[in-house]
Amino acid sequence: MTSVFEHPWLGGLFGDTEISTHLSAEVQLVHMVRIEAAHSRVLGNEAAALAVEAAVVVPQDLWAGSAVDGLPVPELVRCLKTQIARDLHKDIHCGLTSQDVIDTAFVLSLVHILPIFAERLGKLKSAMAQLDADHGAVPLMGRTRMQAALEISASDRIASWSLPLADHLTRLHEMSPRLLRLQCGGPVGIGSGDALAAHLGLVAPTKSWHAMRDGLGELAGWLSMVSGNMGKLGMDISLMAQQGIDEISLVGAGSSSAMPHKQNPILAELLVTLARYNATQLGGMHQALVHEQERSGAAWALEWMILPNMLNATARSLSAACELIAQVEKIGTSG
């Protein structure tokens, strides 16, 4: 089975087409070509840059070369050079290494992805405020260790869902400069790329981060925290929706093929699943922090397997949370 995020039907539940588009092979290839062209301009060869931009390369062209080389950039460079006059070859990819191109292409996708997270967090924050305004005054049984404790208000529980959102936004803005950084270290990571950073609209780091992956580790931690808070929301609503508890009523809940009387809290369950998925992936991203010497092939490739799915899972958790809050018809023990 393919990934649930891109599966023909499971993708309807788990997938996030907006994020998937920015992480697609087609978009990553566009970014890689853009980087190669910008680098030729930095080298002072506008003709080479224009030739790179005019070349036609599709993702399928890189399949066989990636299997041999372990990554797509060597084959990309070969494809470009076969379409470009030989006298321009010296200023194509000269001084770059494959990791420069692949890491920077991923960062260029993050340039578009991080504002999506900010927008969705803001939208969810507003939805929570409206939920509180509509239902916050209603009494609700407070529960500790899943046992009835003392009466609270619905507003008290909603606050535990909504208050972390502002902190997530703050963390996102704080870490963005540490993420949106050029990678231009060259063969052994000692190159500099101020001019290329300016061309691409990225931050020029003090040193290349070929083997210093704490920025991506920080991003993974943030993704897990966000989806974890969405999981708390989902768990609470799943418990509140239990028959016999009936502390929340949802419109548009899922149906059962065998028991038509059931209204399953599908989106709430999805939030729990996505939170647990990201929590399990976070350990893998922390393993990927261990890059040997100046560059690792094994640790680097592990990031490719994990981080895109964490981005997808978190984005979907935010959109699903917004959909779930919109489904709330009644909350509390009365009304």
Side-chain angles (χ1 to χ4, degrees), residues 12 28 36 65 76-77 83 88 127 134 138 153 205 218 236 252 261 295 298-299 316:
Q28 291 300 294
E36 295 287 359
L76 171 62
V77 174
Q83 301 178 53
L88 300 178
D134 293 341
V138 176
S153 68
E218 181 181 16
D236 281 352
H261 63 282
R295 181 175 302 113
R316 178 60 181 133

Side-chain angles (χ1 to χ4, degrees), residues 41-66:
R41 286 196 171 91
V42 168
L43 295 176
N45 196 329
E46 180 67 18
L50 292 173
V52 167
E53 290 170 342
V56 178
V57 184
V58 297
Q60 292 76 12
D61 294 336
L62 309 182
W63 174 284
S66 294

Side-chain angles (χ1 to χ4, degrees), residues 53-298:
E53 290 170 342
V56 178
V57 184
V58 297
Q60 292 76 12
D61 294 336
L62 309 182
W63 174 284
S66 294
V68 174
D69 301 318
L71 30 77
V73 177
E75 187 62 29
L76 171 62
V77 174
R78 287 191 287 267
C79 288
L80 293 174
K81 288 184 175 180
T82 60
Q83 301 178 53
I84 294 172
R86 183 170 294 277
D87 63 318
L88 300 178
H89 287 190
K90 64 180 179 63
D91 288 330
I92 295 173
H93 196 71
C94 179
L96 291 178
T97 193
S98 294
Q99 187 165 1
D100 294 334
V101 178
I102 293 173
D103 279 348
T104 302
F106 181 71
V107 169
L108 290 174
S109 284
L110 289 182
V111 168
H112 300 282
I113 289 171
L114 298 187
I116 294 172
F117 285 129
E119 179 186 7
R120 292 188 189 181
L121 282 165
K123 181 180 178 182
L124 182 57
K125 197 166 176 284
S126 297
M128 291 285 191
Q130 187 61 54
L131 183 71
D132 191 35
D134 293 341
H135 304 283
V138 176
L140 183 69
M141 176 54 65
R143 299 179 187 275
T144 61
R145 304 178 73 167
M146 298 181 68
Q147 303 296 306
L150 297 173
E151 186 176 276
I152 60 173
S153 68
S155 183
D156 292 320
R157 186 165 294 166
I158 292 169
S160 69
W161 303 339
S162 63
L163 287 176
L165 302 178
D167 289 335
H168 293 321
L169 276 167
T170 298
R171 293 186 188 102
L172 177 61
H173 293 313
E174 288 174 348
M175 73 178 176
S176 289
R178 295 190 287 273
L179 289 169
L180 304 182
R181 300 180 300 172
L182 178 76
Q183 184 75 281
C184 188
V188 291
I190 58 174
S192 61
D194 290 4
L196 183 57
H199 272 272
L200 297 173
L202 300 175
V203 174
T206 303
K207 186 185 188 306
S208 76
W209 42 282
H210 284 171
M212 300 184 297
R213 314 303 284 186
D214 53 291
L216 297 185
E218 181 181 16
L219 172 60
W222 183 86
L223 295 170
S224 185
M225 284 194 295
V226 173
S227 58
N229 278 135
M230 298 307 101
K232 189 270 192 291
L233 165 66
M235 180 64 79
D236 281 352
I237 289 182
S238 294
L239 293 171
M240 293 166 71
Q242 288 182 106
Q243 293 166 340
I245 301 294
D246 299 316
E247 291 177 331
I248 198 165
S249 176
L250 304 173
V251 296
S255 61
S256 166
S257 64
M259 295 169 283
H261 63 282
K262 289 182 67 182
Q263 291 290 303
N264 296 324
I266 300 300
L267 292 175
E269 293 173 337
L270 175 64
L271 293 180
V272 176
T273 300
L274 292 171
R276 288 175 172 160
Y277 174 83
N278 266 358
T280 63
Q281 299 307 301
L282 182 58
M285 279 300 296
H286 286 178
Q287 291 281 356
L289 291 171
V290 186
H291 279 236
E292 64 275 8
Q293 285 99 38
E294 279 58 61
R295 181 175 302 113
S296 173

Side-chain angles (χ1 to χ4, degrees), residues 292-313:
E292 64 275 8
Q293 285 99 38
E294 279 58 61
R295 181 175 302 113
S296 173
W300 188 33
L302 188 58
E303 294 174 0
W304 309 343
M305 300 172 71
I306 296 174
L307 193 52
N309 283 344
M310 291 189 73
L311 288 163
N312 205 320

